[in-house]
Amino acid sequence: MLSEKLTNALSEQINAEYYAAYLYLSMSAIANDLGLKGFANWLFVQAQEEMAHGTHIYEYMIERNAIPILKAIEQPPSSFAGANEIFKAVYVHEQKVTALINTIATLALQESDHACYQFMMWYVNEQVEEEANATDVLDRLHLIGETDGLLLTLDMELAARVFVNPFPAKTAN
């Protein structure tokens, strides 16, 4: 069974993951409105990943006989000036999520809950990838500058991203 502190921290992380999904859905809609369908797709896939993360943490808590405390999800921003501003916000948000994940991993160690610590290590590693992905797009946007043709090339590349659930459904025995 999870401690009360870990139950609260993991519940907050579920909320953070679902907020991230809302944030990326909002960004996806804005990118779509800007005519950047590939950026919209990348952000939509990111939203799906965040929903999968929240669900995965929820299922872990249930497996550990803890009751997740589900709270209201904050409304995300509904306007961004363009792709560069969107991805700056993506990067800042992923840094915030990294800090939250690291806090839970540290708490799990302090509580001597090695199972929870091991569970959180997947997320620690995932956050390295999440920040790198955001940085990659930001770096490329910086190189592109104001060149519309190159922006459209990047947009087409981002359109190829597909959601792959990192947590396959459990099969009934």
Side-chain angles (χ1 to χ4, degrees), residues 7-109:
T7 296
N8 290 334
L10 289 168
S11 294
E12 289 294 328
Q13 191 60 39
I14 291 170
N15 185 277
E17 298 292 342
Y18 289 147
Y19 171 78
Y22 271 34
L23 175 63
Y24 295 138
L25 283 174
S26 180
M27 291 173 167
S28 178
I30 293 162
N32 190 59
D33 190 56
L34 293 170
L36 298 171
K37 307 288 188 203
F39 281 87
N41 175 69
W42 192 98
L43 292 158
F44 185 78
V45 168
Q46 193 65 27
Q48 291 175 297
E49 279 192 12
E50 304 303 346
M51 292 293 291
H53 294 165
T55 301
H56 184 237
I57 295 167
Y58 171 90
E59 290 172 341
Y60 174 77
M61 292 179 72
I62 296 296
E63 186 175 13
R64 295 286 309 272
N65 294 317
I67 299 173
I69 303 160
L70 303 177
K71 298 179 182 176
I73 299 168
E74 182 182 343
Q75 179 179 346
S78 59
S79 66
F80 292 92
N84 208 5
E85 187 178 318
I86 289 171
F87 271 87
K88 283 179 185 176
V90 167
Y91 181 66
V92 167
H93 182 74
E94 290 300 336
Q95 288 180 309
K96 181 180 174 184
V97 172
T98 297
L100 294 170
I101 295 291
N102 288 340
T103 297
I104 297 170
T106 299
L107 177 60
L109 280 178

Side-chain angles (χ1 to χ4, degrees), residues 139-159:
D139 289 347
R140 294 169 81 190
L141 284 168
H142 177 74
L143 289 171
I144 288 169
E146 299 297 318
T147 309
D148 290 341
L150 294 176
L151 180 64
L152 292 176
T153 299
L154 179 57
D155 188 61
M156 287 188 302
E157 183 181 322
L158 296 179

